Structures are given as C-alpha cells and as structure tokens.
Amino acid sequence: MKKDFSFNKKHPILFNLLLIAITFFVICYCALVAADIFTEHGKMQEVPDVKGKTIAEAREIIESEGLKCVISDSVYNKNFNPGCVIEQSPKGLSLVKSKRTIYLTVSPFNPRTALFPRVKDMSQRQGTSLLKGAGFSNITIQTTPSRYVGLIVGVTVNGKEIEPGTKTPLSAKVVLLVGEAPVMNDSIGQSDEAESIDESLI
C-alpha cells in the first residue's frame, strides 16, 4: 500500500493550528476593511466656522455639513451677545472626519449673578479683594475727601446704591468711593488732619 505523506496526515496538529492562524488573520483583515468602510477612513471635511453665530444659526450650518453639534458649556463674555457661540471644538476650518461632533461654548442668555458683599467701611484693598473673590471684575475706584484715608465710604452698582446681599450681575460696573486726605487750610490745626487707615492691621 502506498503511504500517504501529505502534511495534514503526517502533522494533523500543526495543520489545524495553521488553519486557525490563517482563519484568524482573514477575519482580522475583513474586520479592518469593514471598519474603514463604516467610519469612512481617510475621508475628511472642513469644519465650518460658527463663532459669533447664534445657537440656531450654528446648529443649522453644522448639521447642513453632515456634522453634529453639542452645547458643552456656557461662559459669560461681554464681547458676545447672549445666545452666541464664543468658542468651538474642533475650531473652524480644521479638518475632521464626517459625522464628527462639534462642541460649542455659548454666551448665556442670563448673565451670572452673585450676592453683593458688604464692603462699605472696609479698606480699599480688603473690599476690592472681597469683590473679586465673589466674581466681580468691573471695579472702579473714585476718591473723595475724608478723615479716613483708604477707607471705602460709599459704593454704587451701575450708578445706583444697593444693599449688601442683593443679587447682582457679575458684569455690573462697581464704583468704590474711597476716602483721601482733604485739602487743609492753613488755619486748621494739626488735630484736624486726616486719619489714615493702616491696611496692614486689617
């Protein structure tokens, strides 16, 4: 009888392992090809620049390009009208894959507010620090003759006096009226000199 020297007969275990390896590589290759087709690998498109557009305008422009958009954050910015796009990611004119999601940062319709702290009768440095810590940044200092130099003797918000604890937009214009040494006449004695606030003790 003729001997059968075929590989699969002589080394069945090695033959089966070889078949498994070949099958594995074929499956991986087909999966990669299918993934490329599904994700449109290599197909890029330009992101429209929607900075400064309203939310509705930005959404319409982005979706018309086959992309998606999501509002990821809202940040107050005095240079933008409420409901407008301040930033976008990825940025406008950059290249992305089709169906990519564009994340938008918009200006809120209602400005952020905080309770206005009591700063009257504080030193200028302490009051300014307290206001900035609360989120107020539009702070102006005005001086007025006073016996107490460096002390806050009055406060206005957007041109009006308000009570401490009032809910106030963080973008409001805050004016601190701070005391300065009055102009002294020669006839006035040393006892009437301005009292200076030692801020290092406050």
Side-chain angles (χ1 to χ4, degrees):
M1 295 178 66
K2 293 183 179 182
K3 294 181 178 181
D4 190 350
F5 291 104
S6 61
F7 183 78
N8 63 330
K9 295 288 187 180
K10 192 173 182 180
H11 304 286
I13 296 177
L14 292 177
F15 179 75
N16 288 330
L17 290 175
L18 182 61
L19 284 179
I20 292 172
I22 293 173
T23 303
F24 174 77
F25 283 113
V26 170
I27 292 174
C28 289
Y29 176 77
C30 292
L32 289 174
V33 171
D36 286 346
I37 295 174
F38 181 76
T39 60
E40 296 182 326
H41 180 69
K43 185 178 180 180
M44 308 292 285
Q45 67 181 97
E46 191 175 78
V47 177
D49 187 355
V50 296
K51 189 174 180 179
K53 303 288 187 182
T54 65
I55 297 174
E57 291 172 340
R59 188 182 301 277
E60 182 178 356
I61 293 172
I62 290 173
E63 292 181 350
S64 68
E65 296 292 331
L67 301 169
K68 302 176 183 178
C69 74
V70 171
I71 297 174
S72 60
D73 197 7
S74 62
V75 177
Y76 174 76
N77 189 316
K78 63 181 181 181
N79 297 320
F80 290 84
N81 293 325
C84 288
V85 178
I86 299 175
E87 292 292 342
Q88 63 179 91
S89 179
K91 293 187 178 296
L93 307 183
S94 58
L95 296 177
V96 298
K97 292 181 180 180
S98 59
K99 299 181 182 179
R100 172 72 183 270
T101 298
I102 311 302
Y103 296 93
L104 306 178
T105 300
V106 301
S107 177
F109 287 98
N110 297 316
R112 292 193 303 162
T113 61
L115 299 181
F116 197 83
R118 178 181 293 277
V119 294
K120 190 175 180 180
D121 297 329
M122 289 184 178
S123 68
Q124 175 185 332
R125 183 177 63 182
Q126 186 180 13
T128 301
S129 177
L130 185 61
L131 286 169
K132 289 183 177 179
F136 297 94
S137 58
N138 188 6
I139 303 171
T140 302
I141 306 297
Q142 290 185 2
T143 56
T144 184
S146 173
R147 294 185 63 195
Y148 301 100
V149 178
L151 193 73
I152 299 173
V153 296
V155 183
T156 62
V157 178
N158 291 334
K160 299 179 180 179
E161 294 185 0
I162 64 170
E163 292 293 326
T166 303
K167 185 178 290 187
T168 308
L170 294 180
S171 58
K173 181 179 180 181
V174 180
V175 177
L176 301 180
L177 199 61
V178 178
E180 68 173 356
V183 178
M184 306 299 294
N185 295 326
D186 293 338
S187 60
I188 299 179
Q190 295 295 325
S191 60
D192 291 331
E193 291 182 352
E195 299 179 20
S196 178
I197 302 300
D198 186 354
E199 294 188 355
S200 63
L201 299 178
I202 297 178

